[in-house]
Amino acid sequence: MSDGGELYEGPEEEDPLILSPQFEEVLFGFDTPADVMSAVSSVMVELREALELGLLPPSGRPLPGVPGAYVSAMPRGLGLIEFHETATGKGERGFYLARVIRTDDYPAEF
């Protein structure tokens, strides 16, 4: 099992975590708060470890009505990450990280 400190260093087409444009914007955006970036990164580590073990991540919950789609809660209640089971270019199991749903994107109404 990974200690969480390892980074994928191979060709992008072989990376088992495929990032959507929205996900890349959150992960690499200049306006993403550090706590959100940290939470997103920790979920990505969990997803990689799940792939290494051949499982779904423990925090992953099925997204109703969308076969093969799941949501995983980010630490500290910062939101959810939507991901889908997929395969890499070489046919290996992977996850497509579709979007980050941040709780601060939806103000509470009283």
Side-chain angles (χ1 to χ4, degrees), residues 34-107:
D35 59 343
V36 172
M37 191 172 302
S38 173
V40 168
S41 296
S42 70
V43 172
M44 291 177 71
V45 168
E46 179 186 20
L47 292 171
R48 284 190 189 280
E49 288 176 347
L51 285 168
E52 288 174 9
L53 297 172
L55 306 169
L56 283 174
S59 67
R61 300 291 178 257
L63 188 61
V66 186
Y70 301 87
V71 292
S72 195
M74 289 191 287
R76 300 177 299 281
L78 294 173
L80 301 170
I81 291 180
E82 177 185 339
F83 65 96
H84 302 253
E85 288 189 279
T86 190
T88 66
K90 289 190 170 187
E92 302 291 326
R93 185 170 176 251
F95 293 126
Y96 177 76
L97 307 181
R99 63 186 172 139
V100 176
I101 306 163
R102 292 174 37 187
T103 55
D104 59 353
D105 287 342
Y106 299 94

